[in-house]
Amino acid sequence: DVKVTQSSRYLVKRTGEKVFLECVQDMDHENMFWYRQDPGLGLRLIYFSYDVKMKEKGDIPEGYSVSREKKERFSLILESASTNQTSMYLCASSLEAGGANEKLFFGSGTQLSVL
Amino acid sequence: KQEVTQIPAALSVPEGENLVLNCSFTDSAIYNLQWFRQDPGKGLTSLLLIQSSQREQTSGRLNASLDKSSGRSTLYIAASQPGDSATYLCAPWGTNDYKLSFGAGTTVTVRA
């Protein structure tokens, strides 16, 4: 089974701090994604990556950046955390970009609180 | 931009009843459509994937149908159990933007 591991289950940070959220997948997947999930707003795509060192903006990239130095690891960076970035962050991966039989596999999520 | 709507937003049924969850989407140019389950405070688990060329997909008590031309998918859960209580999300994978777009989900409560 595919395993997508997010390094922290809960995080509490202060406004202005630089925050790193780490995600690792163990199935040699090409694609990795970062979403945030908020009540009433559903899942929204922040950034995604189709290959090492490649990144694409999703629907809400403002205030975030990403890093993919190795295929298995995709990091989400909050350059200067703000209270409106308090949210559940979900990482996901898939083998290829799209495709009729392409499944998306999710990590367990990181609940980030910015005080 | 793909818009995904799930109706109803919440559903409460007694154990043993069949569940019908609806999903509609605006752009029919999709690779596939996936149904996910999410338990409170947890990540998403993939339940079923229907390819764009398929009409339905079954797994145990779950059956999902897809009518791509009308932009609709339905998830049926037979003989519901309390363990089915969760939020169910549908997500078509678009061929134009190469990404999944999620609905807000249907929160199901199955009463024992």
Side-chain angles (χ1 to χ4, degrees):
Chain A
D1 278 355
V2 175
K3 191 163 185 182
V4 181
T5 304
Q6 294 185 230
S7 55
S8 302
R9 186 72 185 89
Y10 299 97
L11 270 181
V12 180
K13 297 292 181 180
R14 297 207 175 273
T15 301
E17 276 193 73
K18 190 169 186 176
V19 181
F20 292 86
L21 301 183
E22 304 287 346
C23 176
V24 178
Q25 50 90 6
D26 66 356
M27 284 299 291
D28 202 34
H29 280 180
E30 299 288 335
N31 308 309
M32 298 188 75
F33 306 81
W34 275 107
Y35 291 88
R36 65 178 281 178
Q37 185 177 30
D38 302 285
L41 296 176
L43 273 87
R44 293 178 292 168
L45 182 64
I46 306 171
Y47 267 98
F48 58 105
S49 169
Y50 288 141
D51 202 350
V52 175
K53 297 192 185 295
M54 291 184 67
K55 60 185 179 184
E56 296 284 343
K57 292 180 180 179
D59 299 321
I60 51 162
E62 296 78 20
Y64 303 94
S65 62
V66 290
S67 172
R68 192 158 182 210
E69 296 296 319
K70 293 185 178 180
K71 192 174 186 180
E72 67 270 19
R73 185 180 298 269
F74 193 35
S75 303
L76 180 69
I77 303 157
L78 286 66
E79 296 291 343
S80 177
S82 63
T83 55
N84 63 13
Q85 293 178 310
T86 292
S87 185
M88 169 70 92
Y89 289 88
L90 292 162
C91 175
S93 73
S94 71
L95 184 59
E96 296 174 355
N101 206 31
E102 205 51 57
K103 278 191 178 182
L104 201 63
F105 297 88
F106 279 85
S108 299
T110 296
Q111 180 62 53
L112 173 67
S113 296
V114 182
L115 306 178
Chain B
K1 183 183 177 231
Q2 180 79 274
E3 300 288 341
V4 183
T5 304
Q6 291 189 245
I7 295 172
L11 191 57
S12 179
V13 299
E15 184 176 3
E17 269 200 20
N18 297 330
L19 292 166
V20 180
L21 310 180
N22 296 300
C23 170
S24 62
F25 49 96
T26 55
D27 186 353
S28 62
I30 62 172
Y31 288 114
N32 62 50
L33 185 141
Q34 297 178 53
W35 281 93
F36 295 88
R37 169 186 170 135
Q38 186 176 31
D39 293 297
K42 300 287 180 63
L44 280 68
T45 301
S46 180
L47 296 174
L48 287 170
L49 179 150
I50 315 176
Q51 298 178 24
S52 62
S53 59
Q54 295 177 321
R55 296 286 290 183
E56 67 178 275
Q57 190 68 249
T58 298
S59 176
R61 294 184 295 111
L62 306 180
N63 174 276
S65 67
L66 175 65
D67 184 343
K68 195 178 78 162
S69 60
S70 67
R72 292 179 186 175
S73 179
T74 303
L75 179 67
Y76 302 91
I77 304 177
S80 61
Q81 303 168 358
D84 295 329
S85 297
T87 297
Y88 294 83
L89 298 102
C90 72
W93 197 319
T95 59
N96 294 324
D97 53 13
Y98 300 103
K99 64 180 184 180
L100 262 70
S101 298
F102 285 85
T106 295
T107 299
V108 171
T109 303
V110 181
R111 309 186 302 272

